[in-house]
Amino acid sequence: MSLIGYYTRKTYTICKEEVLVLPGRVAVGVFFLTVLLLPLFSQSPYLLRVMVLSSIFAIFAASWDLLSGFTGQMNFGHALFFGVGAYSTALLNIHAHLPPWASIPLGALAAVITGLVVGIPCLRLRGTYLALTTLAFPIIVLGIVFAIPDVTGGELGLSGLSRLTGTRLWDYYLTVIVMLAVCSIMWKIANSNTGIIFHAIREDEVAVRASGINTTRYKLMAFCLSGFFAGISGGLYAHFMRIAGPSTLEVSMSFTVVIWAVFGGIVTIYGPVGAVFILFPLLEFLRFWPEYRTLAFAIVILLILLYMPEGLFPYLRDKIETECPRCKIRNVATRKTCRICTAPLE
Amino acid sequence: MSADFLRVEGLAKDFGGLRAVSGVSFSMGRREVIGLIGPNGAGKTTLLRLITGILRPDLGTINFKGISISGRKTWDIVNMGIACTFQNMRPFRRLPIIANVMVSCLSPRAMKRGEWVKKIEAKAMDALEFAGISDMALEKASTLSQGDLKRLEVARAIATEPELLLLDEPFGGLSPAETELMAKSIKRLHKGGRFGRLHSEGPAMIIVEHKLQQLMKIVDRIIVLDFGTIIADGTPEDVVNNPQVIKAYLGQGGL
């Protein structure tokens, strides 16, 4: 009992001193609680389906941010990892009869290998050339999918995968918990020493080499990590939808993930995640006006990018928090002095 | 120490039709400090870039401590003990200054030499302390002045604890007071010793510089390049009195 009491007090202290002091952290905490407690208020199958798909695409968008936002390897063919993850998972499930807990990680490993295959020829490319080259890969794989319909199911894709779990509610909890865990891991990587090197590669690759860092290794690592996480989202998608079709590899899929990330704010991880939880349900909501759906969606995105060029969430964060000019610690915007060094915050 | 600490033989590099470095050969000792001078476009920066592996030589060999480093990757060369700074500073502008130095501290060489250092940040801070910009450690590199950027370049280079340091115009764009300070730092570094968690073994140095009066106080020897070839190599006194150097670079006014 004393141990429980100790951890309760410790959790309370962390919440009080680390989370409640910054509105941005409180917002993340509220998001965690909301997605975990949502089924207590509604178990509408439609709502749960939208939230499950949002969770899956949130992982996908964050994985793009890790590669293109942090490391600067502009990937316009990110659907490749999603599609390879989905198809590999489907093949393993249908032909090898592997359950989802085995087929999804193995599908993600297939996406890692794809990351290496894409990463190696892209090592010498940057900017527009890299973007165009990466764009070509999912189109090539899509051609392969159509060329061997006996294996891939051709235009119809592979259907009849086993369900993710037994019920829609457990599907929801599984995907949400995986999403929260995977996105937290990506955020942790982005803020680690490896993340600093990713940042630096985006800024100036030659200078990173001159600092003694093997940039080839780190760029390939970024491709593989991003491929792994996107592969997990592809595997979850295949099991949840019970189909892996050519739509997972389409160009529109690759561009949608860029729109999500730019809308939410790149080089943040939390930005693309938040953006998916706004834009995906919004697109569903706009089904009430099917003829204006795409137009309204485009207007929302254009307005956000016009007034918040760094993305929605960095903009909101800067509105509710300020950075101390002396110690660079973030504070609530209403504070007059820094909570750590007491310097005036203007 | 032998004069074969660094041996460059018959080095050549072409850019299209332009021969930037042509048949350059020289060698240097472990504790030597060499000044590399010459008119703009003489091939000084190209020579440094060839040594650090940023550029690949078309002809010739470079041996460092008896091992050929020609054609090796830059990071391999840095991890063997050669570090460089850039003439046109290349900071990671959107990263805090301390993170700029942490990148160097995360190189295999720095990690191996500082295994006992628990926190990378602390080692990076010591490099900044040495360079005299530790009070700005948390600022973004984009906010730094020209002089502070030069110091940041030096901090990044010394964080790998090199045995050979290549400095490309370390006094460029600095005020006389800043130049004096930088010259002192270079001398202190060359002397060697421990600076917090950093250990300087007193690296050999090749310094490219146009401010000759300051340079002459630091270097043991000067190499003069013109049109990619060495036109003089000797003590500072010999070089400034060399008629060929006066004609190609110094002019009749001398220093």
Side-chain angles (χ1 to χ4, degrees):
Chain A
M1 282 303 282
S2 61
L3 202 66
I4 295 171
Y6 168 74
Y7 280 111
T8 311
R9 279 196 302 278
K10 194 174 175 184
T11 311
Y12 172 74
T13 313
I14 290 172
C15 279
K16 194 179 164 195
E17 291 175 5
E18 298 292 331
V19 179
L20 296 176
V21 289
L22 277 181
R25 289 181 193 170
V26 173
V28 172
V30 169
F31 172 73
F32 270 57
L33 283 177
T34 306
V35 291
L36 288 172
L37 300 179
L38 184 70
L40 295 180
F41 303 102
S42 169
Q43 292 194 8
S44 147
Y46 178 66
L47 177 69
L48 293 186
R49 180 190 158 86
V50 169
M51 291 299 283
V52 166
L53 288 173
S54 299
S55 299
I56 290 170
F57 290 131
I59 300 173
F60 184 43
S63 71
W64 183 87
D65 195 25
L66 189 66
L67 177 64
S68 302
F70 279 89
T71 322
Q73 306 300 300
M74 201 47 71
N75 187 356
F76 275 6
H78 205 58
L80 175 71
F81 302 138
F82 189 81
V84 167
Y87 269 100
S88 308
T89 301
L91 286 168
L92 288 166
N93 184 250
I94 292 168
H95 297 299
H97 305 293
L98 290 181
W101 61 263
S103 62
I104 294 173
L106 288 174
L109 284 180
V112 170
I113 295 166
T114 314
L116 278 175
V117 172
V118 176
I120 290 168
C122 290
L123 281 173
R124 286 168 178 271
L125 303 175
R126 53 181 64 93
T128 322
Y129 299 100
L130 176 66
L132 288 176
T133 309
T134 51
L135 181 62
F137 280 98
I139 297 170
I140 294 166
V141 173
L142 202 58
I144 296 169
V145 165
F146 290 138
I148 44 170
D150 295 343
V151 180
T152 60
E155 284 185 21
L156 297 174
L158 294 166
S159 55
L161 277 80
S162 58
R163 289 182 67 120
L164 206 52
T165 62
T167 64
R168 183 55 56 92
L169 183 65
W170 282 112
D171 279 357
Y172 174 81
Y173 271 115
L174 180 77
T175 47
V176 160
I177 289 169
V178 169
M179 181 272 293
L180 293 177
V182 165
C183 292
S184 301
I185 291 169
M186 279 190 259
W187 187 82
K188 198 77 187 160
I189 292 171
N191 287 285
S192 66
N193 288 340
T194 305
I196 289 178
I197 295 175
F198 284 169
H199 267 292
I201 288 174
R202 185 196 62 220
E203 294 284 309
D204 192 331
E205 200 179 324
V206 173
V208 180
R209 284 184 203 162
S211 300
I213 302 292
N214 184 339
T215 50
T216 301
R217 184 185 296 165
Y218 278 93
K219 279 163 74 175
L220 285 179
M221 190 196 289
F223 268 103
C224 291
L225 281 172
S226 177
F228 180 76
F229 295 126
I232 286 179
S233 65
L236 285 171
Y237 180 82
H239 273 293
F240 179 71
M241 301 299 283
R242 304 186 68 192
I243 184 167
S247 64
T248 57
L249 285 161
E250 277 176 357
V251 173
S252 63
M253 191 76 169
S254 296
F255 281 111
T256 307
V257 74
V258 180
I259 291 170
W260 285 330
V262 173
F263 177 90
I266 58 170
V267 203
T268 55
I269 299 292
Y270 60 82
V273 173
V276 172
F277 275 90
I278 291 173
L279 293 178
F280 190 77
L282 176 72
L283 209 53
E284 288 295 315
F285 179 70
L286 289 172
R287 280 185 198 278
F288 289 117
W289 302 279
E291 62 272 31
Y292 301 116
R293 189 174 173 231
T294 316
L295 180 68
F297 185 72
I299 289 172
V300 169
I301 289 170
L302 283 176
L303 284 176
I304 289 288
L305 293 183
L306 193 64
Y307 292 104
M308 305 164 197
E310 292 201 344
L312 176 65
F313 290 98
Y315 174 85
L316 291 177
R317 194 182 176 202
D318 285 344
K319 287 284 168 201
I320 56 174
E321 293 176 5
T322 48
E323 194 179 72
C324 170
R326 189 201 287 169
C327 70
K328 309 297 172 195
I329 290 287
R330 294 193 80 85
N331 291 272
V332 186
T334 49
R335 279 190 76 101
K336 295 275 182 277
T337 56
C338 174
R339 67 193 163 94
I340 301 292
C341 72
T342 69
L345 294 172
E346 294 169 23
Chain B
M1 275 281 179
S2 79
D4 283 352
F5 179 63
L6 179 77
R7 177 177 285 276
V8 174
E9 276 179 58
L11 211 59
K13 178 72 187 173
D14 289 343
F15 293 115
L18 178 79
R19 175 146 284 201
V21 172
S22 173
V24 167
S25 301
F26 70 93
S27 61
M28 69 185 291
R30 170 64 185 84
R31 296 280 303 166
E32 222 173 346
V33 180
I34 293 181
L36 190 60
I37 63 170
N40 288 325
K44 307 180 293 293
T45 297
T46 305
L47 180 57
L48 292 199
R49 286 178 170 223
L50 289 170
I51 296 171
T52 48
I54 294 170
L55 293 174
R56 284 179 174 240
D58 295 327
L59 284 172
T61 56
I62 307 163
N63 286 289
F64 178 61
K65 294 194 289 186
I67 301 165
S68 170
I69 57 168
S70 335
R72 285 203 187 207
K73 299 282 186 195
T74 305
W75 58 76
D76 277 340
I77 293 171
V78 173
N79 287 311
M80 284 174 77
I82 299 179
C84 67
T85 66
F86 294 97
Q87 180 186 357
N88 302 315
M89 286 81 77
R90 307 184 77 140
F92 310 125
R93 290 188 181 276
R94 280 180 282 184
L95 290 185
I97 289 159
I98 188 159
N100 271 260
V101 183
M102 278 170 70
V103 173
S104 295
C105 293
L106 288 166
S107 67
R109 179 182 171 85
M111 294 286 272
K112 200 176 167 193
R113 290 174 65 88
E115 275 171 338
W116 55 277
V117 179
K118 287 275 188 299
K119 282 192 177 274
I120 296 289
E121 291 95 325
K123 194 174 176 186
M125 203 64 184
D126 287 338
L128 289 175
E129 185 86 50
F130 174 83
I133 47 171
S134 58
D135 53 331
M136 291 182 275
L138 298 173
E139 301 288 341
K140 290 259 162 60
S142 56
T143 62
L144 287 186
S145 67
Q146 185 86 348
D148 291 334
L149 281 174
K150 286 277 178 197
R151 289 160 192 266
L152 176 59
E153 286 275 318
V154 172
R156 263 190 350 196
I158 63 167
T160 60
E161 299 182 21
E163 288 171 75
L164 172 60
L165 184 57
L166 312 177
L167 299 168
D168 201 348
E169 299 200 17
F171 308 139
L174 301 190
S175 67
E178 286 173 329
T179 304
E180 195 66 42
L181 219 61
M182 178 66 86
K184 272 186 189 161
S185 298
I186 291 170
K187 275 185 200 165
R188 198 152 63 98
L189 185 66
H190 180 60
K191 221 183 218 175
R194 185 163 285 288
F195 307 112
R197 290 160 195 82
L198 271 182
H199 179 68
S200 168
E201 291 183 8
M205 295 183 186
I206 300 179
I207 306 172
V208 171
E209 190 49 68
H210 288 294
K211 291 184 179 173
L212 292 191
Q213 280 178 334
Q214 282 297 341
L215 186 70
M216 301 246 303
K217 291 179 196 165
I218 304 174
V219 300
D220 309 311
R221 181 178 145 204
I222 288 183
I223 293 175
V224 189
L225 279 181
D226 190 26
F227 291 112
T229 54
I230 294 179
I231 58 168
D233 182 351
T235 62
E237 292 73 28
D238 291 344
V239 165
V240 292
N241 295 317
N242 184 318
Q244 214 180 339
V245 177
I246 291 169
K247 189 180 168 202
Y249 181 53
L250 296 176
Q252 290 304 323
L255 294 180

